[in-house]
Amino acid sequence: MIQFENVTAKRSDTKGIYNISFDIKKGQFVYLMGPTGAGKSTIIKVIQKSINIESGSVIIAGNNILDLKQNSLAYYRRDIGMIFQDFKLLNDRSIFENIAIPLQIIGCDHKTIENKINSILSKVGLLDKKNVYPNELSGGEQQKVCVARAIIKTPKIILADEPTGNLDPSASDDIINLLEDEAKKGTTIIMATHNYPLIEDRIKHFIEINDGRLIK
Amino acid sequence: MEKIKFILFESFISFKRYPIYSIISSLTVSICLLLISFIFYLSNVSNNISDNFKSNESVIDLYINNSLTDIEGNEICLEIMDNLNLTKITFVTKQNLLNKASLNKNLKKWLNNDISFAPCLCSLNIIEGSNAIEIINIIKKTYSDKIFKISYPESYILKFDKFITSIYSFIFIIGIILIVVSIFNISNIIRLSVETRKNIIETLKLHGATNSFIRAPFVIEGLIQGVIGALISNIIIFIIFNLITLDNYNHFLINSFITTISFNLYFFLNIIIGSLLGFIGSNLGTANYLD
């Protein structure tokens, strides 16, 4: 599903990844591990094509993303769900409106949007809070909303960049449980983290990097 | 259809979400439009002054020989009008001409109402575009024995014409500068408004929104702000139209300041320019975040 072949990409003169190669299969839940500044976020940004690579190739679902034209980039990103450490929720919109955004982008009608949101909010346990605003929620709840927003369009890939970084252990467990459920349905998930104790009991597949280079 | 609904909803809801920015943008548009309307008004006034000046001052004065009587002078005057196809002439009798001259009381007494020495005057209003010098040459050739003197303020009119042309050019340049400044001004205001919402743009981009989908609500919002700005400036112009009246003055220069452009034209021009300013400004304002 996701194949890196000798990929080198730089975010600045000092930050980047060098000659990284790995292969992630469909439905795998892969942890991307390494200390802060190791290059985890760079890998995620390369997959979502927020930064360009200098050499190598990145094959996503059989397509080399280097061949993606500017106007097809938006359609490519519709198959990717993003989860961030700082949530990136829009504070001037309700939870319902935040989760609706990916569906509105693809042009779903209001009835479908409402049904899907009700279903996903029930799943994450926030149905009673669909009309409140993000800053009225706890960090754990906000991250659940962020997960709901990422999975509502049933993407092929979910990229989670330190999703538990700002959460307590209990909330972190809830988030990882939600992501594991998605992986079981066939969604490929990459979760970047530097918190090894949190995931050591769950870990099946992992990629470890340091200073932009692959360790395992 | 759902996408259009979303774009329209986002465009209108932003006025509720960001009222301060919306008010500032609309007021900026209205100030720019007022300035543009003022430039438009000035060009109209200079045009009026030019027209009125020419029709009042482009006159060839023919002083008929004093050997001829008023009746003979008038006949010559009418003949010239017919021959040269002129539409307006003014004949001034010897007596009226002397009255205009406002002579000293003692001099009048000495003349003892003997006005035979005075010429009568035939003033020819020249139609715009006709050649005054050519007309003068024809009159000289045909009526050399009957005309005592021909007077035409050619250099004065030419100078005024040049002056008005320079004013026109100046107003045109100022108008262009003002439109360019307005576009940048509005795009900066909208850019500031977009700056506060760059997280929305980022979120939309990461979830696969196309550039046109992201840009559309901002552009529509800019258009609406442009129209609101135009309506504000139209209200102000309407008030000015009804407050200022110059009807009591009877001088062509003062009358020239009364605009010959109707309020409706100002209204539609403001709406069109306002929408354009909003459209271009919002496009420039969002371009940085999308490219």
Side-chain angles (χ1 to χ4, degrees), chain A residues 48 50 74-75 77-78 84 88 90 92-93 97 101-102 104-110 149 153, chain B residues 2-3 6 9-10 13 17-18 197 199-200 202-211 213 290:
Chain A
Q48 71 182 38
S50 292
Y75 299 96
R77 285 181 177 158
R78 290 179 190 181
F84 308 92
K88 292 202 192 304
L90 305 174
D92 55 3
R93 283 149 214 252
E97 288 170 322
I101 286 172
Q104 283 163 331
I105 289 170
I106 57 176
C108 287
D109 62 88
H110 188 74
R149 187 179 61 179
K153 58 183 176 180
Chain B
E2 292 300 320
K3 284 185 183 181
F6 174 76
F9 177 77
E10 283 298 309
I13 200 74
R17 285 182 183 142
Y18 314 99
R197 283 181 273 172
N199 56 342
I200 299 172
E202 200 182 330
T203 304
L204 289 169
K205 268 176 137 176
L206 287 174
H207 286 95
T210 56
N211 278 359
F213 184 82
L290 295 176

